[in-house]
Amino acid sequence: REARDVAKAEALARETRRHLAEQVKWKQDKLDRERAAEAARHERFAYVVNTLEDVEKSEAAATRSMRVAHRMELEAQMRDNLVRKAVFPMTDTEKSLNADMLA
């Protein structure tokens, strides 16, 4: 009877160890799936953030280039006005007409 009890206890111990090993494996698989899902979510989030940063940078560059182009256009207009005033100065008649319009 004692040998039978020992064999039964050993079988129960083996079954318990197998069951615990299955539980550990199942939990490990679950953790691996969760880690993979979290990594995928993080990758998507990082992609969105990088895309938004790229859009911001391109918009800032476009705005900066528009400002520079506008400034260059204004400077060209001012240079043209200076050249025009030097080449074709305003006559006394134009000056008096302008003064009368401003008054």
Side-chain angles (χ1 to χ4, degrees), residues 6-74:
V6 169
K8 194 174 189 181
E10 287 176 356
L12 183 61
R14 279 193 305 272
E15 183 64 26
T16 303
R17 280 195 299 273
R18 188 185 62 75
H19 185 68
L20 287 175
E22 286 178 2
Q23 283 182 345
V24 167
K25 183 179 183 293
W26 181 81
K27 286 182 182 179
Q28 191 63 43
D29 289 345
K30 180 182 173 188
L31 286 174
D32 290 344
R33 285 191 305 272
E34 288 174 356
R35 275 192 215 103
E38 186 63 25
R41 190 183 73 76
H42 182 269
E43 277 185 41
R44 286 191 305 270
F45 181 74
Y47 176 76
V48 168
V49 168
N50 289 338
T51 302
L52 291 175
E53 286 177 352
D54 291 344
V55 167
E56 281 181 16
K57 286 177 187 175
S58 65
E59 286 177 355
T63 302
R64 198 169 32 255
S65 66
M66 285 175 50
R67 283 190 200 139
V68 168
H70 182 67
R71 187 179 305 135
M72 291 175 66
E73 184 180 322
L74 289 177

